[in-house]
Amino acid sequence: MCAAHHTLDVPDSARRSFRRRTTATARRVVERWRLFAAYVAMGFRRWSTYRLAMAAGAFTNTVFGLIKAYITVGAIGAAGGAVGGYDAATGATYAWLAQALIGPVNVFGWRDLAERIRTGDVAVDLARPIDPQFAFLATDLGRAAYTFIPRGGPPLLVGALVTGLALPSSPLPYLLGTVSIALAVMASFAGWWLLNLAAFWLLDLRGATTLYLVASNVLSGMIIPVHWFPDWLWTVASCTPFPSLIQTPIDVVMGHVTGTEALSVIGVQCGWLAGMLLTGQLLFRAGARRLVVQGG
Amino acid sequence: MAERLRPYRVLLGSQIRSQTAYRRSFVMELLGSVAIGVLEFTEVYVIFANVEFLGELDFAAAALLFAIANIAFSLADLVVGHVDRIPIYLRMGTLDAFLLRPLPVLAQLITSDISLRRLGRTALGVAVLAVALPLNDIAWSPAKVLLLVVATAAGAAIFAALFVCAAALQFWLVEGSEFANSFTYGGAYASQYPASIFALPVRVLFAFVVPAAFVAYLPTLALLDIPGPPGLPAWLGWCGPLMATAIWGVALLSWRAGVRHYTGTGS
């Protein structure tokens, strides 16, 4: 009724064109999300083919988790029962969760795009009617979704059996944790996207890759919780996006941070993610402009 | 003898020339290798920023342990680390070329891709050792000097054998190459920490199955005259060469079984 009143004095033709425009925009948005979902599904399917590799990865993550959990527990015991807010049980849980996140967050990264830039295959990506960053991100989310259980489950299972896990009993930390992990997956993607783009300017990426790996492994809390860092190193870490990849999602899942504090660390993740994706978008365009692909 | 070694000398010489041809790239990779060492040392540093002792070791002793383990691992990685690329050779069929040449496959594989950049990590280990040695209270004697040298060499041999064992497994695993990483890189990780912090079954695993404790932990105990934890007396620190011989035996036997199992990918 109200709507009828409102549109009463709008000419018929204008109303029709307005409706056409809105339905066209809506259709474009729906189409874009359908495409995104299709890419996510493709990423999921692509990774589900490599079952043995997945099992091998989970096994290795678990063995390293075992060593890391004992180092953590050993250090906490030596310190008299608590270090940086972790007791033996929560310290071990941290180590196992970090190992479980290696696969989904893709800590050791990917170099596909750099390889495509080097060989010129990136020309194909540029010719497609979809933004390459958008497509790569969607595929990576599909990959993360597939690896979540097979790569994350075994370390946590062994952890529960060997040292026990100290996890919260209310559902809220898990809910927020899922959001935080999803943001970590995307932030990790955005970081590696930037590194891959360096291939537009550098011939040999191996040195840069190693330096990035070292920085991200230390400063994310992958090796050891960021809360254990001496002040100077903590300051360095908090100036980088890396704690958002491992330390933040674990803090949220373990209920180390709750309520508004949890929302604020998730906000920090969102900020880094948006900044890195945008930088990646701009740098990709700059790189594509100077790209020359030979051949025919 | 010299005539027999000539092909390897030629292969190695060409490797060294090709890797150092692009100076800037090589320096970047060398720095990357140093950075990996720094990464691992950061973990030790951060732990000792929070605690005074880990196991029975203080920071100086842990740094000594780290240095021996790192030098040993980086030397092994330099000489044979690239054999973990064997799944690629198996998939691509390039191993067949090695099989056709009149030289042992393992020796060819080792000399085919020595990675000089890994010397960066060795350099870091030596630097840490140089700082750590005077900080530790060691009752020096000729025997202890010998122990330090022998332990480092035996440690490198142990890691090298682990790499060969892992490579031999690849003949069966191929796709699951990461399984083997648990023992090579996992062993390297475990070797950098006092084995006394592990629960007994894990301690036995990293002492007598994957002999990581023999690389640096036991020699460090022997150097510092610290009695070991239950099951691992400090005198075992002298047994690195025995362990290295034993594990090389296993490595060579499994390598031979692996090569015999290999049937080629066809063409």
Side-chain angles (χ1 to χ4, degrees):
Chain A
M1 278 265 276
C2 191
H5 255 293
H6 193 70
T7 52
L8 203 63
D9 44 36
V10 177
D12 242 20
S13 59
R15 207 186 315 161
R16 267 202 305 277
S17 102
F18 173 74
R19 199 177 296 154
R20 240 193 340 265
R21 269 206 312 275
T22 43
T23 44
T25 320
R27 206 179 298 141
R28 264 207 303 278
V29 170
V30 169
E31 202 48 49
R32 208 171 149 75
W33 282 107
R34 270 240 297 276
L35 206 57
F36 190 78
Y39 269 94
V40 172
M42 279 194 310
F44 190 95
R45 290 235 318 263
R46 176 178 160 202
W47 283 83
S48 63
T49 352
Y50 305 110
R51 302 246 168 89
L52 188 61
M54 192 70 62
F59 182 78
T60 308
N61 293 161
T62 307
V63 173
F64 272 80
L66 194 66
I67 303 171
K68 200 185 279 180
Y70 278 115
I71 293 173
T72 314
V73 172
I76 290 169
V83 176
Y86 293 93
D87 59 18
T90 48
T93 309
Y94 183 93
W96 291 113
L97 278 173
Q99 290 304 108
L101 283 179
I102 289 182
V105 176
N106 213 354
V107 172
F108 298 108
W110 46 278
R111 294 125 185 96
D112 307 23
L113 179 66
E115 192 57 26
R116 291 179 78 76
I117 293 171
R118 201 178 62 78
T119 56
D121 285 347
V122 71
V124 179
D125 300 325
L126 284 164
R128 288 195 180 116
I130 179 170
D131 176 62
Q133 193 189 26
F134 185 74
F136 268 75
L137 174 63
T139 326
D140 194 61
L141 277 172
R143 179 202 57 76
Y146 178 73
T147 53
F148 197 67
I149 302 291
R151 287 290 291 272
L156 291 182
L157 198 69
V158 173
L161 292 173
V162 176
T163 58
L165 297 177
L167 289 169
S169 49
S170 61
L172 192 61
Y174 298 102
L175 214 66
L176 286 176
T178 314
V179 174
S180 181
I181 291 171
L183 289 168
V185 168
M186 289 190 277
S188 170
F189 165 82
W192 278 98
W193 173 267
L194 286 173
L195 187 84
N196 272 274
L197 290 188
F200 277 123
W201 292 272
L202 299 174
L203 274 179
D204 185 0
L205 270 194
R206 278 186 292 190
T209 309
T210 313
L211 292 179
Y212 183 84
L213 267 176
V214 169
S216 61
N217 267 275
V218 174
L219 301 177
S220 65
M222 182 68 236
I223 305 289
I224 223 151
V226 177
H227 302 314
W228 287 23
F229 288 1
D231 287 339
W232 70 271
L233 195 58
W234 188 88
T235 313
V236 172
S238 53
C239 293
T240 70
F242 298 124
S244 290
L245 306 183
I246 300 290
Q247 183 71 55
T248 306
I250 295 183
D251 277 351
V252 175
V253 171
M254 286 183 68
H256 232 85
V257 289
T258 49
T260 47
E261 212 184 339
L263 291 179
S264 97
V265 294
I266 290 177
V268 171
Q269 279 186 302
C270 290
W272 279 114
L273 175 63
M276 286 196 293
L277 281 179
L278 192 67
T279 317
Q281 185 66 243
L282 296 175
L283 275 181
F284 185 82
R285 286 190 196 157
R289 263 201 303 278
R290 73 187 294 281
L291 175 77
V292 179
V293 178
Q294 310 281 348
Chain B
M1 190 66 189
E3 197 47 41
R4 273 182 59 198
L5 289 179
R6 215 184 80 84
Y8 300 114
R9 243 193 354 258
V10 173
L11 281 170
L12 273 180
S14 75
Q15 275 299 318
I16 292 170
R17 274 197 308 280
S18 74
Q19 283 176 38
T20 47
Y22 298 94
R23 288 272 164 79
R24 237 185 340 171
S25 260
F26 182 67
V27 170
M28 274 299 273
E29 295 201 332
L30 213 56
L31 287 179
S33 168
V34 174
I36 293 178
V38 172
L39 160 80
E40 308 223 296
F41 192 68
T42 307
E43 185 176 5
V44 180
Y45 163 74
V46 171
I47 288 177
F48 280 94
N50 289 288
V51 302
E52 214 152 309
F53 283 91
L54 187 63
E56 50 286 274
L57 307 182
D58 59 6
F59 189 28
L64 177 64
L65 169 74
F66 173 89
I68 298 175
N70 238 264
I71 295 171
F73 180 75
S74 62
L75 289 177
D77 202 20
L78 165 76
V79 180
V80 297
H82 50 275
V83 296
D84 68 2
R85 288 169 52 87
I86 195 151
I88 299 170
Y89 296 145
L90 293 177
R91 261 201 302 271
M92 312 267 285
T94 30
L95 191 76
D96 298 10
F98 290 117
L99 286 165
L100 285 173
R101 296 180 197 147
L103 295 171
V105 179
L106 186 59
Q108 285 185 62
L109 205 60
I110 288 173
T111 41
S112 70
D113 196 14
I114 297 258
S115 312
L116 293 175
R117 64 169 187 277
R118 281 158 182 157
L119 284 174
R121 204 166 154 186
T122 318
L124 182 92
V126 172
V128 174
L129 184 72
V131 176
L133 274 181
L135 290 180
N136 279 288
D137 189 19
I138 303 173
W140 284 108
S141 65
K144 289 213 167 146
V145 177
L146 184 73
L147 175 64
L148 184 61
V149 176
V150 168
T152 312
I158 289 174
F159 282 131
L162 282 175
F163 271 118
V164 174
C165 287
L169 275 182
Q170 307 303 332
F171 284 103
W172 286 274
L173 291 173
V174 191
E175 275 296 324
S177 57
E178 230 192 312
F179 272 121
N181 285 355
S182 328
F183 303 108
T184 48
Y185 297 101
Y189 185 35
S191 71
Q192 292 169 10
Y193 288 90
S196 50
I197 59 173
F198 299 130
L200 197 64
V202 184
R203 200 183 300 165
V204 171
L205 171 73
F206 284 115
F208 299 107
V209 183
V210 177
F214 280 84
V215 173
Y217 173 61
L218 291 168
T220 303
L221 291 183
L223 275 175
L224 299 174
D225 299 307
I226 300 173
L232 290 178
W235 58 262
L236 281 176
W238 288 90
C239 300
L242 278 179
M243 216 41 172
T245 316
I247 187 169
W248 261 104
V250 176
L252 291 176
L253 282 177
S254 32
W255 177 261
R256 199 170 65 162
V259 173
R260 287 191 179 166
H261 171 79
Y262 177 68
T263 48
T265 43
S267 57

